[in-house]
Amino acid sequence: MGTFDVRSRQVAPSSVAYLYGDLFMVDRSRKGPGTAYEVEASGVKVPEGPFSTELMTIALWALQDAGAVRIEGHEHRMLGLALSRRVRIIRTTPPGEQPVHNGLEAIFMRRLASAKAAEKGEELSALIRDLLPTKHQRPHSVVFRIIKKDLAALGLETPVEFEFQRMWGLRSSEKAVAYQPVMERIHELEPDARALAQAWLTFRRKEPALVDLIINRLEETLGSRMVDDPSSLTNKTWDGLTY
């Protein structure tokens, strides 16, 4: 167990980091896909792509900090040759035990419920493909919407239905869901957010090579979930998570 007690918190660390992203983004000049994304608690803008990979890395760190998983870097080999460095996540708790009951952390733990995840671990890329089973024009934004939908279940966001026009195919008006932050509830989390950010940045300084490896693998995997032409998407239904 680390310096920040993950198990005692109602809101997942990755979700708290989403709401207070500017406290966690050590380098806002990092380049990546997408545009500037406005942090909900402060209005500060952070780069969309790097912000999404930071949140997923925080979720994995929080699970390791809680003693639920172990994160390992390893060499991917073929015919005895080291081809690349990859990340393996090994479950270290009994199946079904959930140190965090919401957020990206809970989604990852469900994926790690198999016996294989405890014996050999799961590749990080497999976790992300499970999180985003279909391709998207903006996969980084989909990560945010997954978090926002979860925050709505906790009363920290309010779902609001609206109509929009398709940008491709038949032009028809369809209903979708947006999420508006409940600022009073969000501001109550600021002390937790500051304590969590301090713990995260301490880990980042102690394990820079591991954090960089995780982020690089996340960027590669999210890049593989991206399409340039939305007309090529097989699923064109916006259900609150997809575009």
Side-chain angles (χ1 to χ4, degrees):
M1 189 71 66
T3 56
F4 185 87
D5 186 1
V6 169
R7 293 172 184 265
S8 68
R9 282 3 192 232
Q10 179 188 7
V11 184
S14 61
S15 299
V16 174
Y18 166 78
L19 296 170
Y20 285 86
D22 52 309
L23 299 180
F24 296 81
M25 288 291 292
V26 294
D27 182 7
R28 293 179 210 156
S29 65
R30 278 167 53 199
K31 302 297 182 184
T35 58
Y37 192 83
E38 188 171 299
V39 173
E40 296 197 347
S42 65
V44 172
K45 291 186 177 181
V46 296
E48 179 180 278
F51 185 34
S52 70
T53 55
E54 195 90 2
L55 294 175
M56 287 184 280
T57 308
I58 287 169
L60 294 170
W61 158 74
L63 290 173
Q64 178 168 273
D65 196 66
V69 305
R70 185 172 70 254
I71 306 170
E72 294 182 348
H74 70 97
E75 289 185 342
H76 172 59
R77 291 179 171 272
M78 185 175 293
L79 299 177
L81 299 175
L83 300 181
S84 63
R85 290 279 292 167
R86 295 188 177 182
V87 178
R88 181 187 296 122
I89 314 298
I90 301 170
R91 194 188 78 242
T92 55
T93 53
E97 183 174 326
Q98 284 274 34
V100 183
H101 295 280
N102 52 76
L104 297 175
E105 291 86 341
I107 296 173
F108 289 155
M109 285 304 292
R110 286 195 292 271
R111 180 66 173 80
L112 293 166
S114 68
K116 177 194 170 189
E119 295 169 3
K120 298 181 179 179
E122 290 280 1
E123 291 293 328
L124 175 58
S125 56
L127 292 184
I128 303 309
R129 287 194 296 270
D130 189 63
L131 184 70
L132 302 174
T134 59
K135 293 192 174 185
H136 302 269
Q137 192 176 13
R138 295 172 62 200
H140 297 83
S141 295
V142 179
V143 173
F144 301 147
R145 292 191 66 82
I146 291 170
I147 294 173
K148 287 170 77 70
K149 187 175 183 180
D150 203 63
L151 287 169
L154 295 172
L156 291 158
E157 302 267 345
T158 302
V160 179
E161 283 194 355
F162 67 98
E163 292 188 352
F164 73 103
Q165 288 291 129
R166 284 282 176 209
M167 297 299 293
W168 58 81
L170 296 175
R171 291 188 172 273
S172 60
S173 178
E174 298 188 24
K175 288 185 178 181
V177 178
Y179 296 95
Q180 295 182 350
V182 181
M183 297 309 297
E184 289 183 7
R185 292 284 315 280
I186 289 171
H187 286 152
E188 292 173 0
L189 294 173
E190 184 173 351
D192 267 6
R194 292 191 178 279
L196 178 64
Q198 184 177 4
W200 163 243
L201 296 176
T202 298
F203 175 78
R204 228 184 184 288
R205 286 191 295 269
K206 288 182 177 179
E207 299 284 353
L210 178 60
V211 171
D212 287 346
L213 177 60
I214 293 170
I215 287 175
N216 288 339
R217 289 299 296 160
L218 286 170
E219 288 174 346
E220 289 175 13
T221 307
L222 284 175
S224 72
R225 313 310 289 161
M226 184 183 299
V227 294
D228 295 326
D229 180 11
S231 65
S232 67
L233 294 172
T234 56
N235 179 8
K236 298 187 174 69
T237 300
W238 187 351
D239 61 0
L241 295 180
T242 58
Y243 299 146

